[in-house]
Each structure stands twice: as C-alpha cells, then as structure tokens.
Amino acid sequence: MLAALRPAAEPIRAEASSQGIAFVRRLFEGWASGANRFDQPGEIFLGLWQQDRLVGFGGLNRDPYTAEDDIGRLRHVYVLRSHRRRGLGALLVRYLLREAEGHFRIVRLRAASPDAAAFYRRLGFAECADPAATHVVPVPVGPSSLKTPRHGPSRTNGMAARG
C-alpha cells in the first residue's frame, strides 16, 4: 500500500494505534489516498532508521490550515517509545526545520500531548493562541543556526528511506 512506509512502518503504526494516537493513522490514510505524500514544493517526509529498522518519522508540509504559502507545518512526528530520550526526535525536528529554510518563514504544529508540548518548547517552539496550532517557531532566513550531524535522517523523493 504505502511503499515507503510498509512494512517498515508497521511497528510504529501498531504502537501508536495501541496508545490511541490518531495522527499516525491519519498519516497512513493520507498517504494511501494521495491526499498527503509530502511532495509539494518545500515539503519533505523523513525516516529515522536504526540499522534496517524504521524507529521514527516526521514531515513538513505547507500548512493546510492557512492560505499563506510561507507557513509550514510540522506533521506526524513519531519515535518508537523504545527509542525515545536518545535525541532522535530532536535530531529529526531540527533537520526538518533546516529543510524549511528558503521555503517557509514560520513553522507551526499541534502538539498531541503535554509531553509533546514540552518537547517542542525545549526545541524553541513558542506556544500560540491559534485555533489551528499550539506552537510556532520562526524559520531562520540566513545560514542555519541549527546544527545537524552529517548523517541526519534519510530522505528519498519525499518518502521515508534508509540512511
């Protein structure tokens, strides 16, 4: 079905489903229907791999909740519970924000839980009082101030891929 996600992403889908996390289900549905494949200008979908195992993913879209083309949205960021607290989520988000440079002036998101909200605040996102978003961060205009290791998350034509 989702060539870039299945079967590799099945453990993530199953874990998120067992925890009642709906945004991972929506990722699979959007990908399957073609509604969202992260293939528009400035969009990207990345996978985090540990050897041959997909342990996390996340993407950047043009924000569908605004008519402004220069607002991005961080979406579907998920790291397996067994791989959290190792800096992988932060690596992924920083890499996505670096990719936002030159495409978006700000990036917004909706944090799915208080833990997620705290995670994004630690990465520099500010809370906002917008009905379509809980957090926002400006995107640097010049050279990136975000440091990303040489071997960051992998990318292939907007799909999760091995790094």
Side-chain angles (χ1 to χ4, degrees):
M1 175 171 97
L2 304 174
L5 294 177
R6 288 207 174 172
E10 187 56 30
I12 295 173
R13 190 209 55 76
E15 180 179 286
S17 177
S18 74
Q19 295 174 17
I21 298 173
F23 71 81
V24 173
R25 176 186 45 79
R26 288 192 306 268
L27 166 67
F28 277 77
E29 291 170 355
W31 200 290
S33 72
N36 186 11
R37 294 220 175 135
F38 299 87
D39 56 2
Q40 299 303 307
E43 296 186 348
I44 184 173
F45 188 77
L46 300 173
L48 289 169
W49 294 84
Q50 183 177 52
Q51 298 170 358
D52 288 339
R53 181 176 183 212
L54 183 66
V55 298
F57 51 56
L60 177 69
N61 284 124
R62 190 192 70 74
D63 193 331
Y65 302 103
T66 181
E68 297 179 56
D69 288 337
D70 61 350
I71 298 178
R73 189 167 191 96
L74 201 61
R75 300 186 83 186
H76 310 301
V77 174
Y78 192 90
V79 175
L80 287 171
R81 292 180 78 75
S82 61
H83 287 75
R84 293 182 189 166
R85 307 236 184 260
R86 298 180 186 182
L88 296 173
L91 171 73
L92 177 61
V93 170
R94 286 184 179 116
Y95 197 93
L96 288 166
L97 291 175
R98 186 172 178 174
E99 290 291 319
E101 293 177 20
H103 299 284
F104 304 111
R105 67 180 170 83
I106 64 171
V107 171
R108 304 186 321 167
L109 62 89
R110 176 170 295 286
S113 69
D115 286 343
F119 168 75
Y120 290 114
R121 280 193 307 273
R122 284 192 302 272
L123 292 176
F125 283 80
E127 292 181 5
C128 64
D130 186 307
T134 59
H135 294 78
V136 63
V137 68
V139 176
V141 177
S144 175
S145 60
L146 301 170
K147 303 229 186 246
T148 303
R150 270 188 22 214
H151 303 291
S154 58
R155 166 190 176 169
T156 301
N157 296 328
M159 300 183 289
R162 291 190 185 125

